[in-house]
């Protein structure tokens, strides 16, 4: 199971999709969220979009492995989805540091935790602006969360700088292949 976290705008979603395209065994964990869909997002593919009341009901029923409130909306990983996917596939999680902390508590999960950043804050701002999918208020919020997000670097196994998409993809690929071979060769050491 691979966790990819990053401040918004670093390219995580693109990289996640690239991994899935190349490695059919990897499925992207589709999170539940109360955030409204962006124009290019499809319900059930990018996220499962639900109302706040529905999300809070699922919290009450203890249906999430992890969830967090980010930019005033809930985001969470449903236990049922992960358990079903894991029967046959590897999983990539596109979640934040709060979710990573919660998933790390499940010691039986074989997690590779990767944190992605841009080379500097200016580059991040540029990418957020060219993405053009957020209002200026949302953009500001996402940009300002950078300083908060990077405080949690220590919770990750690897930190990668996404300066060039292809290079970064190759680095992620190598990490996955390296960790997979460890699990295959030394099953008794897999936690
Ligand atoms: P966005 O609104 O830009 O799609 O996502 C905002 C943030 O929410 C991103 O950092 C993304 O990784 C995080 N996120 C998406 N799904 C989940 C989830 O299920 N759990 C947690 N903890 N974070 C999530």
């Amino acid at each position: 199971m691979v966790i990819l976290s990053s401040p918004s705008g670093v390219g995580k979603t693109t990289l996640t999709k690239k991994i899935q395209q190349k490695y059919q065994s990897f499925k992207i964990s589709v999170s539940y969220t109360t955030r409204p869909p962006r124009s290019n997002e499809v319900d059930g593919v990018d996220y499962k979009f639900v109302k706040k009341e529905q999300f809070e009901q699922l919290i009450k029923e203890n249906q999430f492995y992890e969830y967090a409130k980010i930019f005033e909306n809930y985001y969470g990983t449903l236990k049922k989805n992960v358990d079903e996917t894991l029967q046959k596939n590897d999983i990539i999680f596109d979640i934040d540091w709060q979710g990573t902390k919660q998933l790390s508590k499940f010691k039986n999960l074989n997690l590779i935790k990767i944190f992605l950043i841009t080379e500097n804050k200016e580059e991040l701002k540029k990418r957020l602006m060219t993405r053009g999918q957020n209002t200026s208020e949302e953009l500001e919020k996402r940009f300002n969360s950078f300083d908060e997000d990077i405080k949690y670097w220590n919770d990750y196994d690897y930190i990668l700088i996404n300066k060039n998409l292809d290079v970064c993809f190759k680095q992620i690929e190598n990490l996955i292949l390296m960790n997979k071979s460890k699990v295959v060769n030394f099953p008794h050491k897999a936690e």
Side-chain angles (χ1 to χ4, degrees):
M1 299 164 85
V2 177
I3 297 183
L4 278 187
S5 296
S6 73
S8 275
V10 175
K12 184 180 35 178
T13 308
T14 313
L15 284 162
T16 311
K17 288 188 177 159
K18 258 173 100 76
I19 296 168
Q20 196 196 20
Q21 274 159 14
K22 180 146 180 196
Y23 296 95
Q24 305 291 315
S25 71
F26 270 100
K27 298 287 168 223
I28 300 173
S29 164
V30 179
S31 298
Y32 274 53
T33 185
T34 58
R35 165 170 81 58
R38 296 183 185 129
S39 58
N40 60 338
E41 288 178 328
V42 178
D43 187 31
V45 176
D46 297 287
Y47 281 105
K48 179 78 195 145
F49 296 98
V50 294
K51 299 242 173 314
K52 188 166 168 248
E53 297 71 36
Q54 278 174 278
F55 199 103
E56 286 174 342
Q57 184 60 31
L58 291 167
I59 296 175
K60 262 195 221 151
E61 292 168 6
N62 195 23
Q63 302 245 23
F64 289 109
Y65 269 128
E66 64 76 31
Y67 69 90
K69 212 166 197 184
I70 308 165
F71 312 125
E72 281 119 53
N73 286 302
Y74 284 118
Y75 295 81
T77 306
L78 207 67
K79 285 181 183 168
K80 185 166 158 276
N81 288 357
V82 173
D83 293 345
E84 280 174 11
T85 309
L86 268 184
Q87 309 269 331
K88 288 197 185 142
N89 292 285
D90 298 315
I91 302 189
I92 317 175
F93 297 97
D94 171 345
I95 60 176
D96 81 330
W97 60 268
Q98 303 175 77
T100 304
K101 263 192 196 303
Q102 293 170 53
L103 278 189
S104 300
K105 289 188 190 137
F106 295 91
K107 294 293 175 207
N108 56 324
L109 302 180
N110 181 30
L111 294 171
I112 310 172
K113 296 179 274 184
I114 302 173
F115 192 87
L116 293 171
I117 48 166
T118 46
E119 50 189 318
N120 56 50
K121 268 176 96 171
E122 275 318 299
E123 179 60 28
L124 182 74
K125 191 161 213 171
K126 237 197 287 172
R127 290 196 202 176
L128 276 171
M129 284 166 78
T130 46
R131 192 163 79 163
Q133 288 161 337
N134 301 112
T135 61
S136 56
E137 190 193 338
E138 281 175 343
L139 192 146
E140 202 56 30
K141 261 192 251 166
R142 281 169 160 72
F143 182 62
N144 290 335
S145 75
F146 180 87
D147 295 325
E148 179 65 16
D149 286 347
I150 61 169
K151 284 185 199 156
Y152 301 94
W153 280 6
N154 275 348
D155 293 338
Y156 290 81
D157 302 315
Y158 305 98
I159 296 167
L160 299 181
I161 299 173
N162 182 14
K163 193 168 173 186
N164 171 297
L165 197 75
D166 292 331
V167 173
C168 192
F169 175 65
K170 197 82 208 143
Q171 288 172 327
I172 296 173
E173 229 183 337
N174 287 341
L175 290 177
I176 292 172
L177 296 175
M178 191 175 84
N179 279 277
K180 258 188 179 289
S181 72
K182 257 197 258 169
V183 175
V184 173
N185 293 330
F186 308 106
H188 57 284
K189 287 200 175 163
E191 283 172 22

